[in-house]
Amino acid sequence: MKINIKGLILNTFKESARNKMFYLLIFFGILFALSSKLISFLTLGDAMKVLKDTGLAAINFFCVLIAIFTGINLVYKEVEKKTIFNILSKPVTRGHFIIGKFFGLALTMLLALAAMAVIFFLLVFLVGGGFDLKILLYFFMLYLELLIIVAISLLFSSFSTPILSFIFTVSLYLIGHIMWTFNEFKMLLQSKLWIKFAQFLYYIMPNLDKFNIKNDVVLDLPLQATTILFSVLYALVYILALLTVTVMIFRRREFI
Amino acid sequence: MRILEITNLKKTFHSNFLIKKYRILKGIDISVEAGEIYGFLGPNGAGKTTTIKCIMGLLFPDEGEILINGRPADTIDARRPIGFLPENPYFYDYLNANELLNFSASLYSIPAAAARERIDRLIQQVGLAGFERLKLRKFSKGMTQRLGMAQALIQDPDFLILDEPFSGLDPIGRKEFRDLILNLKEQGKTIFFSSHILQDMEMMVDRVGIIINGKISRQGKLSELIAGSTRCHEIVCSQISEKQLALIHPNFVRRDNQYIITLDNEAEINLVVESIIHNNGLVIAVNPVKKTLEDIFLNEIGEVQ
Ligand SMILES: Nc1ncnc2c1ncn2[C@@H]1O[C@H](COP(=O)(O)OP(=O)(O)OP(=O)(O)O)[C@@H](O)[C@H]1O
Ligand SMILES: [Mg+2]
């Protein structure tokens, strides 16, 4: 059996890339990255450090927004507008459909991130910096995080409306970045059962802070290869689990 | 050989909180032979689209069996030979016709060169030449319907399932689609379609199935359903006054300078003709009026209710 999801991937990419929101967010990302250059002139101290600090933060913020907004809409729109009838009546399983959407979104995010990264590197050159492999590593880790966010929003959008999906995805994103407070939180719990439950939650929530290496990059701290490797592995396993659940949910759906 | 066989198909919809049940399909049996045109008709809300969605795997039946070429319909391989045109199709409005058909072709892994050739031919066949590069958001309803037909034919399917293919088409479009469907039949394809336009159906179909209230109330060869079924006789006459005619037979209408008398009873014919001649009228024709599909359909609905 010949599976063809290339068409699905490209179409998903086309759809998100023809959305005005996509360009608006990229534009703002670049604008804020540029303004970080301005800030770096105004503030005292290490201009390069400020540029990296605020510029990377801006790119991070807008990429996350793009990931969430494109992720929550795509499946919903196909179902709502019934374009999915024309896909699922062809030799395409529900699984192919979800996988196609995911990789299409992954391609979209790659493009958005690459556009911003190129601008950022240009800025660094202008301020007099050189090529920094660590920044590239930062973008790579950010990309992994974006893929997880895309998979999360895809999961929610496989059964709920864009507004609910947005709320769920943003909640998980925020939780994913305060996971490190878990140990302090655990101290507060009295009963063993609650601790067990909290531990369970800890394991299934996305630990997104793993992918944030901005401080290490800006402050030029040494990075452990094993930590990076572990994060990559974590992202792959997490995404695989998310996609599996999404396909399981989507297989049960009826299209009215 | 049976290309589609549905036995005892049941489907229930639930309201939002599972409080109310709507039994939409109550045990449908349909069989479609390879190479025939099968017309699926029934009043609005009878369950035609629901049945078709069950075949296409968009809805899951509660009960019953759907076989395509003898295999369960719920795998993509069983559905591969089917070309499907949904009811009121909708396509990505950011694409143009060419791009959409290319996308459809890609889902069948049709090689690029073959796809290009096929798409060019299909665009001609469905009458969209000149609109290949127009964005689909600018398509009219009939144009969208034509595109829907083209995408249903993209893999040169053996079996077509069309949900109201004529809706939104102008009279020329309807004629073109009729010819297209008959042409496909000549190539040995099987066509299963639903429609409310009974005249079109009558001109094309080999067999019909009538669904009323979620049940097949009649299924059979069109020729057999209509055969030997003279509904009434018409006598066309002229050169006679309305007054005289009223005395002969009360059931007539005037068309230009002719009168058309409708007789329900065969036995009256001779008497009426003689009376007209006796009154110096001119008998132009005596025509038997065949039952139409519409008569059968309306009769069927009357019986069920
Ligand atoms: N999700 C749903 N929940 C409840 N009832 C539904 C649902 N979807 C369809 N129905 C009902 O099922 C019945 C059959 O609908 P269906 O679309 O199959 O009819 P149809 O024969 O195709 O009619 P038409 O000729 O108007 O296209 C209708 O009464 C409709 O109201
Ligand atoms: Mg219908």
Side-chain angles (χ1 to χ4, degrees), chain A residues 52 56 120-121 124 132-139 217:
Chain A
K52 283 182 184 170
L56 292 181
F120 184 78
F121 277 120
V124 172
D132 187 348
L133 201 64
K134 269 194 179 157
I135 295 182
L136 202 61
L137 193 62
Y138 170 83
F139 286 132
V217 171

Side-chain angles (χ1 to χ4, degrees), chain B:
Chain B
M1 205 195 71
R2 296 251 161 91
I3 197 160
L4 173 69
E5 173 124 51
I6 301 178
T7 29
N8 194 29
L9 179 66
K10 291 188 182 165
K11 178 70 192 167
T12 306
F13 285 119
H14 300 274
S15 68
N16 279 346
F17 297 101
L18 301 172
I19 300 165
K20 260 198 99 162
K21 276 186 178 179
Y22 302 93
R23 287 176 63 220
I24 304 300
L25 302 181
K26 303 165 187 167
I28 299 270
D29 299 293
I30 290 176
S31 62
V32 179
E33 301 287 330
E36 73 179 359
I37 300 182
Y38 187 106
F40 191 31
L41 67 154
N44 290 128
K48 299 180 295 298
T49 300
T50 307
T51 306
I52 289 174
K53 280 187 184 170
C54 288
I55 302 171
M56 297 313 298
L58 298 168
L59 292 175
F60 306 127
D62 303 341
E63 231 179 273
E65 191 179 45
I66 304 174
L67 300 178
I68 296 167
N69 286 318
R71 288 191 297 171
D74 56 5
T75 65
I76 54 168
D77 275 325
R79 291 199 299 263
R80 194 179 286 266
I82 301 180
F84 174 52
L85 170 66
E87 182 178 36
N88 302 319
Y90 184 88
F91 304 104
Y92 308 103
D93 51 15
Y94 54 89
L95 295 182
N96 63 36
N98 234 332
E99 289 171 317
L100 181 94
L101 292 176
N102 259 311
F103 172 58
S104 299
S106 79
L107 299 179
Y108 284 98
S109 315
I110 300 173
R116 211 170 307 125
E117 209 172 289
R118 178 114 191 107
I119 289 168
D120 285 346
R121 192 140 39 94
L122 283 174
I123 293 247
Q124 297 289 339
Q125 266 181 11
V126 301
L128 282 178
F131 298 107
E132 297 94 330
R133 313 236 165 253
L134 187 67
K135 284 271 183 300
L136 300 186
R137 75 168 65 91
K138 294 178 184 159
F139 265 40
S140 71
K141 176 150 177 16
M143 288 162 77
T144 307
Q145 196 73 22
R146 287 160 187 263
L147 181 64
M149 191 66 152
Q151 64 86 37
L153 291 170
I154 195 78
Q155 89 279 27
D156 196 13
D158 294 330
F159 183 25
L160 278 152
I161 295 183
L162 315 170
D163 198 354
E164 299 196 22
F166 300 106
S167 91
L169 293 178
D170 60 23
I172 301 166
R174 267 167 58 186
K175 165 107 179 54
E176 286 170 354
F177 266 40
R178 268 199 324 259
D179 292 345
L180 181 64
I181 291 174
L182 288 170
N183 193 4
L184 289 166
K185 181 193 145 126
E186 255 164 47
Q187 293 170 30
K189 319 269 187 206
T190 312
I191 297 107
F192 176 91
F193 78 102
S194 77
S195 180
H196 292 295
I197 305 174
L198 299 181
Q199 291 92 319
D200 284 338
M201 213 178 243
E202 196 165 349
M203 278 187 248
M204 302 158 55
V205 298
D206 299 302
R207 273 190 334 137
V208 290
I210 302 177
I211 177 173
I212 296 173
N213 270 331
K215 276 201 162 127
I216 298 288
S217 76
R218 196 101 182 246
Q219 180 172 234
K221 276 206 155 63
L222 181 70
S223 52
E224 282 164 16
L225 291 182
I226 298 181
S229 61
T230 306
R231 188 181 63 178
C232 57
H233 287 82
E234 273 179 5
I235 298 176
V236 185
C237 62
S238 69
Q239 297 176 12
I240 188 165
S241 79
E242 214 156 300
K243 241 189 205 151
Q244 284 170 315
L245 204 53
L247 289 172
I248 297 171
H249 201 279
N251 195 6
F252 65 89
V253 290
R254 189 194 173 121
R255 204 169 291 158
D256 298 326
N257 55 357
Q258 296 181 339
Y259 295 98
I260 299 167
I261 311 166
T262 307
L263 299 178
D264 291 328
N265 192 346
E266 222 171 3
E268 292 176 296
I269 298 174
N270 276 350
L271 191 66
V272 172
V273 170
E274 273 168 20
S275 306
I276 294 169
I277 296 169
H278 185 73
N279 282 290
N280 293 323
L282 175 66
V283 175
I284 297 168
V286 178
N287 299 323
V289 179
K290 289 257 179 219
K291 263 194 194 167
T292 61
L293 187 54
E294 186 172 280
D295 296 322
I296 291 165
F297 181 54
L298 294 176
N299 185 29
E300 207 56 47
I301 290 178
E303 264 175 37
V304 169
Q305 278 156 3

Side-chain angles (χ1 to χ4, degrees), chain A residues 1-8 11-12 14-15 18 78 81-94 96-97 101 250-256, chain B residues 11-13 53 56-61 76-77 79-80 82 84 86-87 89-96 99 103-104 106-110 135 151-152 154:
Chain A
M1 189 185 69
K2 212 170 164 189
I3 297 173
N4 199 338
I5 55 172
K6 206 176 89 199
L8 284 173
N11 189 53
T12 301
K14 253 187 209 169
E15 175 169 7
R18 286 192 195 181
E78 296 252 21
K81 296 202 164 173
K82 307 189 175 182
T83 45
I84 196 164
F85 291 3
N86 307 311
I87 296 181
L88 294 184
S89 58
K90 308 258 184 316
V92 175
T93 64
R94 313 268 175 121
H96 297 161
F97 180 80
K101 285 281 162 214
F250 203 63
R251 266 196 196 137
R252 308 173 69 99
R253 274 201 71 171
E254 298 200 301
F255 302 103
I256 293 167
Chain B
K11 178 70 192 167
T12 306
F13 285 119
K53 280 187 184 170
M56 297 313 298
L58 298 168
L59 292 175
F60 306 127
I76 54 168
D77 275 325
R79 291 199 299 263
R80 194 179 286 266
I82 301 180
F84 174 52
E87 182 178 36
Y90 184 88
F91 304 104
Y92 308 103
D93 51 15
Y94 54 89
L95 295 182
N96 63 36
E99 289 171 317
F103 172 58
S104 299
S106 79
L107 299 179
Y108 284 98
S109 315
I110 300 173
K135 284 271 183 300
Q151 64 86 37
I154 195 78

